[in-house]
Amino acid sequence: MTETGKILLVEDSEQDVELTLGALGQHNLANEVVVVRDGEQALDYLYCRGNFSGRSTGNPVVVLLDIKLPKVDGLEVLQQLRNDDALKRMPVVMLTSSREERDIVRSYNLGVNAYVVKPVEFQSFVEAIRELGLFWAVLNQPPPLAQ
Amino acid sequence: MVLRAAPEPRDTFERICRASALTWRVGAWDGGLSMSQSSPGAANANQRFAGLEAELEAERDLIAVLARVARLATESDARGLSDEAARLLGAEVAAVTASFEGDSVVQSEDVTQDARFQSGALHAALPPADRLVRSYLALPLRGADGAVVGGLVFSDARVGAFGARQARAAQAMAAVIGPVFESARQLRQSHATEARLREANDSYALSQRRFEQVLDSVDDLIFCKDERLRVTYANAATCRYYGVSQEELRGITDVPFNEIDFTQQYNADDRQVFLSGEPVERVEEPNQARDGRTRYFHTVKSPIFDARGKAVELVGVSRNVTERKRAADDQKNLAAVSAILAESIDYEQTLANVARAMVPSVADWCAIDVLEDGAIRRIAVVHNDPGKVALAHELERKYPTPMDAATGVPAVIRSGKAELVPIIPDELLVAAARDEDHLRLIRALGLHGYIAVPMLAHGHVLGAISLVGEGERTFDERDLAFAEKLARRAGAALENSLLYQEVRQLNETLEMKVEQRTASLIEANRELESFSYTVSHDLRAPIRHVSGFVDLLRLHAAPQLDDKGHHYLNTIKQASVQMGALIDGLLAFSRLGRAELSKRPVSLLDLVRSVVQELKPETHSRRVEWSIGELPTVLADAGMLRLVISNLLTNAVKYTQRRDDARIAVDSESNEHEHVIWVKDNGAGFNMDYAHKLFGVFQRLHSEKEFAGTGIGLATARRVINRHDGRIWAESTPNQGATFFVSLPRQAAAVRPDSDATGAPGSHHEKADS
């Protein structure tokens, strides 16, 4: 349980990563964040394989998942998690630019825990990230491990 | 003056007077006939009377003579004589004639002195020259049986002229004349009877001639037969039709060259007429004349009864209906062809069916050829005998008709002109045959009559139809006319079919094109969606980044920046926020076009109140007077309608921001078709010249500096209202405010809110200051 409390941020945009980390940093949550750049890496991380085969075990308290990602997109990642008995209870929050109804509907149909549209206004964004970090990393009681 | 006998005749008296040699005036009472005869001596009167009797007996035309005299007397001077007689005799005449009725002789020595005449005064008044009658003698004429048949009157101007001797002579004369008169009258009567008989005979003969003339003048065949079915009469038309004389027909029971079946049927009908006493009718009775062709008659045979009511003869009337039947058959055949032609658009099958329909009713052979890319192709050959069809195919294969043949299908197709050969002579076959074997094959076909007609459509030859008759079947101009009609219809159908195929091909091409176009439209739509998706994601991200990093920069570099630096950062910040708003508006707008409408009853009053509530933060520093009237419940997509109301109210708030006494009113009016809702403000308003630009995307009538905005709001409102089948429009005067109207069609589910719920009448308007 060495990595308990970690946040997995799946985001391909350099700037978004920096802003998100900046926002989390303002609330001292930045050091709890693992950043991957696409869906494949996210799955590798969660299944402890590929570049992450050597990582210490344990699931993040929450996955902040962008929808539009290289290789494997956010919705596909979510679908795979939900189809896996070991990972289906993993809290997943969509953190995305898309307000498209179909994205929102599909996400909820796949069992997302929350859907957050990144606000244009930086301060609002900071606020949103802070609340997300606080809620999922601190307040929320994560599900028990499947095994 | 009525006389029982009607003696006629002046010259009878003349003769009598002559014969009697009377010297006195002689008068007869009929019409006062009177004449004088001066003849001396009457000694041998008896002899003369005897001669007269013989003379009268010998006179064959006595009646004619008497009639002539009577006529003369009546027509010329009867009246005059009558008057004179009356004048001479006066009223005495009545008395004198009356005397004959009594069968007695009347004799007067001097009528003036005779009381029976009572005319003394009258007579005396006459001048002496006129006193012609003084003596008077009248005696009856008797027939053989003694009955009075007339009378004789003698008069004389002298007194006492008639003595006993004269009286005896007159009596002897009357005795002779009486029977002559009677026999003459009888003769005349028998003459009259004879004349009547002769007249009757004449008129009978005339009538006979008249009827014969009539019967011979008609075109119908009229004939009579007796009980043994022998012809007793035949009119001229019948003789003409069979080519035999009346005499040849009379007495025979059948016409030798008629088909035996036909004759048997005729005789069966004849017997039925005699048996039943009722007419027999045949509407289409076949018959063959000398030329062997079959014709058709409408025949009615009726019985002729004798005085006792027995049918002794029959009269038949036959009307030639061959033309009518052929016309009807042609119509029937053409109708059948039309039906076949209408059945299918597959012309090969259709034309083959047409050919089949022609055999054997019209011809024994039917072949149809079509012209395809300059070559003639045989589509159908039909004959009832499959062996013959095979023979024809073999013939065509072995000896194909050359395209440049002078006659036959190629010539017909080339020239567009029909060919008619009523009877194909053997020489023609010999001439057409390529060799002995060919000739044998052609002869084996047993061709007799031949017609080939072009199938034309709009002047173009599309092919040809050939009809061939075998055995006795020949063709004439009428058959040709029928074949041409047939070919016209087949040609039209063929053309239609070809056009249809062309149209079908065009349609298929068109459908393909439509499919391609649809596919490319779907593709374009997909691209457009993906574009808006891209905008949604990728365009917003850099804006967020600009905005985010400006904030980070400000945090990071605030101490190092001077006022100008801060101003620049603020400007960048504002621009990025504006850009974000634009993108969000655009996305919302594009989403509206795609989203499904989910209509349900929406209370506009609740909706407006809720939006007004939302706008409170924007108006908290201002004074805005809201006036909300009675608003209906409408059937609409609640979320979309909220966008519209929100846009309109936000605009009203925005454009009244320079007013110290901002007033915004929302009200409605409904009729049976629609609800009209309006939002009226007293704000900046706009120039009506630009009203048409109000609802366009990114169209603004005010500068960004004057009134902030994206130019998306009203475009969105219009799109929503359009999708609800409503209308949106605006009226305004610059600086005096604007009114925006929205109409929504009334639907069954739309109901007005219960007016009691909003209070008493007249208090529909609520006012809220904020």
Side-chain angles (χ1 to χ4, degrees):
Chain A
M1 302 287 278
T2 47
E3 293 200 18
T4 310
K6 284 209 162 125
I7 295 171
L8 178 62
L9 175 64
V10 191
E11 174 62 75
D12 66 321
S13 157
E14 199 72 52
Q15 291 84 354
D16 272 328
V17 170
E18 196 178 340
L19 286 173
T20 308
L21 291 180
L24 288 170
Q26 287 191 10
H27 303 284
N28 304 316
L29 292 163
N31 57 339
E32 302 293 332
V33 179
V34 176
V35 179
V36 292
R37 297 309 170 98
D38 59 44
E40 189 184 71
Q41 284 181 22
L43 290 170
D44 284 353
Y45 178 84
L46 291 168
Y47 284 105
C48 303
R49 65 194 185 197
N51 290 339
F52 301 98
S53 55
R55 80 164 172 97
S56 46
T57 54
N59 284 334
V61 289
V62 65
V63 180
L64 300 179
L65 191 57
D66 196 2
I67 287 180
K68 212 175 162 219
L69 291 169
K71 297 179 186 172
V72 182
D73 74 24
L75 292 169
E76 285 172 300
V77 172
L78 177 61
Q79 190 167 14
Q80 286 206 26
L81 294 185
R82 291 305 180 233
N83 287 340
D84 187 306
D85 280 342
L87 297 171
K88 66 183 175 191
R89 294 185 195 82
M90 169 86 63
V92 176
V93 174
M94 287 297 180
L95 185 62
T96 172
S97 308
S98 172
R99 287 176 192 278
E100 288 296 299
E101 198 174 313
R102 57 176 180 173
D103 284 342
I104 298 169
V105 169
R106 281 176 67 196
S107 298
Y108 277 109
N109 283 348
L110 288 171
V112 84
N113 298 80
Y115 190 100
V116 176
V117 179
K118 296 170 188 168
V120 170
E121 179 62 37
F122 179 67
Q123 213 47 56
S124 311
F125 182 69
V126 168
E127 207 45 42
I129 295 301
R130 187 184 71 84
E131 282 171 14
L132 274 177
L134 273 179
F135 179 80
W136 293 106
V138 180
L139 298 174
N140 187 46
Q141 187 63 44
L145 284 176
Q147 280 87 357
Chain B
M1 203 189 288
V2 178
L3 295 175
R4 192 160 293 162
E8 313 250 333
R10 185 197 292 229
D11 50 349
T12 305
F13 287 107
E14 226 172 311
R15 287 159 194 273
I16 291 169
C17 292
R18 231 182 258 130
S20 62
L22 291 175
T23 56
W24 311 295
R25 285 182 172 274
V26 179
W29 54 88
D30 178 25
L33 185 65
S34 173
M35 55 186 59
S36 69
Q37 174 76 38
S38 5
S39 169
N44 50 357
N46 281 346
Q47 287 162 3
R48 287 172 189 257
F49 293 151
L52 176 68
E53 183 178 11
E55 194 186 335
L56 287 172
E57 283 296 320
E59 183 62 79
R60 293 288 302 172
D61 65 344
L62 172 67
I63 299 301
V65 173
L66 294 182
R68 185 171 58 81
V69 172
R71 196 166 58 245
L72 269 176
T74 315
E75 285 175 359
S76 63
D77 51 4
R79 179 161 294 279
L81 289 171
S82 176
D83 289 347
E84 191 181 0
R87 187 168 64 81
L88 293 175
L89 297 174
E92 298 95 309
V93 176
V96 170
T97 51
S99 72
F100 292 111
E101 291 170 21
D103 292 357
S104 58
V105 175
V106 177
Q107 187 170 5
S108 178
E109 290 287 304
D110 185 351
V111 294
T112 56
Q113 303 300 317
D114 196 323
R116 288 175 296 175
F117 289 83
Q118 296 171 350
S119 60
L122 171 67
H123 214 252
L126 287 169
D130 288 344
R131 294 176 189 166
L132 294 176
V133 177
R134 294 297 289 271
S135 302
Y136 184 85
L137 174 64
L139 54 172
L141 292 174
R142 294 176 191 278
D145 58 355
V148 176
V149 294
L152 270 178
V153 178
F154 302 93
S155 64
D156 197 287
R158 293 164 297 178
V159 173
F162 307 124
R165 195 177 63 86
Q166 281 83 5
R168 273 195 305 278
Q171 266 178 328
M173 193 166 88
V176 172
I177 296 173
V180 171
F181 253 64
E182 190 186 31
S183 69
R185 202 166 46 234
Q186 278 165 358
L187 185 65
R188 190 183 60 160
Q189 275 166 359
S190 80
H191 271 265
T193 310
E194 221 174 273
R196 273 200 298 275
L197 259 173
R198 200 162 46 240
E199 207 173 283
N201 267 332
D202 286 353
S203 86
Y204 172 74
L206 177 64
S207 160
Q208 183 84 2
R209 280 199 302 280
R210 188 187 292 148
F211 281 117
E212 272 177 20
Q213 187 63 43
V214 168
L215 291 172
D216 286 344
S217 303
V218 297
D219 289 331
D220 291 352
L221 275 51
I222 302 174
F223 51 90
C224 295
K225 290 179 174 184
D226 63 15
E227 287 170 283
R228 292 166 67 183
L229 314 186
R230 293 174 304 195
V231 175
T232 55
Y233 168 80
N235 70 344
T238 309
C239 297
R240 263 201 314 278
Y241 172 69
Y242 283 118
V244 294
S245 69
Q246 166 102 248
E247 286 65 37
E248 283 174 282
L249 276 173
R250 192 166 292 147
I252 64 172
T253 55
D254 53 32
V255 181
F257 32 78
N258 226 325
E259 264 190 26
I260 186 73
D261 291 355
F262 296 172
T263 305
Q264 276 173 358
Q265 184 60 54
Y266 305 155
N267 290 346
D269 289 348
D270 296 345
R271 275 188 286 275
Q272 200 195 322
V273 171
F274 286 113
L275 215 62
S276 66
E278 300 279 333
V280 169
E281 182 172 12
R282 292 277 163 199
V283 178
E284 274 178 16
E285 184 174 66
N287 186 286
Q288 271 179 339
R290 210 184 273 280
D291 63 2
R293 299 194 108 196
T294 300
R295 292 177 178 80
Y296 293 87
F297 291 85
H298 182 174
T299 298
V300 178
K301 291 173 176 170
S302 317
I304 301 173
F305 300 103
D306 66 6
R308 292 189 303 278
K310 182 175 182 294
V312 288
E313 279 206 355
L314 66 77
V315 59
V317 179
S318 292
R319 174 158 296 177
N320 191 334
V321 293
T322 311
E323 284 305 304
R324 202 173 71 191
K325 180 177 158 53
R326 278 180 80 172
D329 286 351
D330 286 358
Q331 279 308 313
K332 212 157 64 188
N333 284 326
L334 283 176
V337 165
S338 296
I340 289 169
L341 290 174
E343 242 169 44
S344 161
I345 204 74
D346 173 0
Y347 71 89
E348 287 205 24
Q349 189 55 44
T350 304
L351 290 177
N353 287 342
V354 168
R356 258 192 290 283
M358 292 302 104
V359 175
S361 60
V362 174
D364 299 297
W365 287 92
C366 181
I368 298 185
D369 299 81
V370 294
L371 190 63
E372 282 180 354
D373 304 325
I376 295 173
R377 188 161 71 85
R378 178 146 289 188
I379 283 188
V381 181
V382 179
H383 188 278
N384 270 352
D385 177 0
K388 285 217 171 183
V389 174
L391 186 63
H393 281 307
E394 188 193 340
L395 202 65
E396 189 61 30
R397 196 172 53 253
K398 275 193 184 168
Y399 303 97
T401 318
M403 280 298 284
D404 57 352
T407 59
V409 169
V412 168
I413 288 180
R414 210 168 46 237
S415 67
K417 287 196 174 66
E419 286 181 2
L420 165 66
V421 183
I423 298 171
I424 304 172
D426 193 57
E427 307 88 77
L428 199 71
L429 299 184
V430 174
R434 237 70 61 74
D435 53 44
E436 276 302 310
D437 196 41
H438 192 196
L439 183 61
R440 189 182 53 75
L441 284 171
I442 306 178
R443 278 180 174 153
L445 290 175
L447 310 177
H448 192 64
Y450 169 76
I451 285 178
V453 282
M455 282 193 286
L456 292 163
H458 294 107
H460 297 289
V461 181
L462 302 176
I465 298 179
S466 338
L467 298 169
V468 177
E470 289 180 352
E472 293 298 304
R473 186 165 352 223
T474 65
F475 294 123
D476 58 16
E477 291 294 334
R478 271 200 89 273
D479 295 308
L480 181 63
F482 168 78
E484 282 179 330
K485 270 186 209 162
L486 168 74
R488 257 200 303 281
R489 292 188 188 197
L494 180 55
E495 192 193 36
N496 281 346
S497 173
L498 295 173
L499 287 175
Y500 177 77
Q501 283 183 355
E502 208 172 297
V503 167
R504 199 165 52 184
Q505 271 169 9
L506 285 175
N507 260 347
E508 275 166 14
T509 317
L510 193 66
E511 266 170 36
M512 219 163 66
K513 276 186 184 162
V514 167
E515 267 171 35
Q516 284 170 354
R517 191 65 53 84
T518 307
S520 65
L521 278 176
I522 289 172
E523 183 57 29
N525 214 24
R526 213 180 359 251
E527 276 170 20
L528 210 62
E529 271 185 37
S530 120
F531 169 74
S532 81
Y533 193 76
T534 305
V535 167
S536 168
H537 274 88
D538 302 353
L539 214 55
R540 286 177 86 249
I543 297 304
R544 274 190 297 103
H545 299 158
V546 170
S547 166
F549 285 98
V550 164
D551 285 343
L552 285 178
L553 179 61
R554 206 175 358 226
L555 282 177
H556 184 73
Q560 286 98 318
L561 288 175
D562 57 6
D563 286 352
K564 212 159 204 168
H566 279 292
H567 170 67
Y568 292 158
L569 282 182
N570 284 342
T571 306
I572 296 170
K573 179 76 183 172
Q574 273 168 18
S576 66
V577 168
Q578 170 73 2
M579 183 73 178
L582 280 173
I583 291 168
D584 282 350
L586 199 56
L587 283 173
F589 181 74
S590 87
R591 259 199 305 276
L592 277 178
R594 289 175 283 142
E596 286 287 317
L597 285 187
S598 146
K599 287 189 186 178
R600 51 179 183 273
V602 179
S603 164
L604 267 175
L605 193 61
D606 292 345
L607 183 57
V608 168
R609 280 174 178 161
S610 155
V611 173
V612 169
Q613 197 59 39
E614 264 178 27
L615 289 170
K616 283 264 152 90
E618 291 179 44
T619 56
H620 70 277
S621 57
R622 296 168 49 198
R623 179 186 158 76
V624 177
E625 187 183 307
W626 292 94
S627 162
I628 299 166
E630 187 182 344
L631 298 176
T633 292
V634 295
L635 194 67
D637 184 299
M640 291 200 190
L641 195 58
R642 187 182 186 90
L643 264 179
V644 175
I645 298 299
S646 175
N647 268 318
L648 294 182
L649 295 187
T650 306
N651 277 352
V653 167
K654 192 201 301 183
Y655 292 105
T656 53
Q657 64 192 350
R658 309 248 164 98
R659 292 272 177 196
D660 293 334
D661 56 341
R663 283 194 306 275
I664 301 170
V666 185
D667 210 338
S668 77
E669 210 173 84
S670 303
N671 60 34
E672 52 180 317
H673 303 298
E674 59 182 9
H675 300 289
V676 179
I677 305 105
W678 63 85
V679 176
K680 182 177 169 63
D681 66 50
N682 60 344
F686 59 88
N687 187 335
M688 284 297 280
D689 291 347
Y690 307 113
H692 61 283
K693 289 189 170 182
L694 269 179
F695 299 98
V697 180
F698 293 140
Q699 291 282 355
R700 301 212 56 212
L701 299 187
H702 298 276
S703 70
E704 179 66 30
K705 198 170 176 186
E706 261 186 306
F707 296 103
T710 57
I712 292 281
L714 287 176
T716 305
R718 188 177 69 164
R719 182 169 264 200
V720 168
I721 296 304
N722 281 352
R723 292 199 63 192
H724 282 81
D725 302 317
R727 292 170 297 129
I728 185 164
W729 71 101
E731 289 168 6
S732 175
T733 310
N735 298 319
Q736 288 183 28
T739 309
F740 282 81
F741 299 88
V742 167
S743 83
L744 288 170
R746 276 192 97 132
Q747 276 147 349
V751 287
R752 282 190 78 87
D754 187 357
S755 59
D756 288 344
T758 51
S763 65
H764 291 318
H765 289 70
E766 55 181 68
K767 297 202 172 178
D769 287 358
S770 54

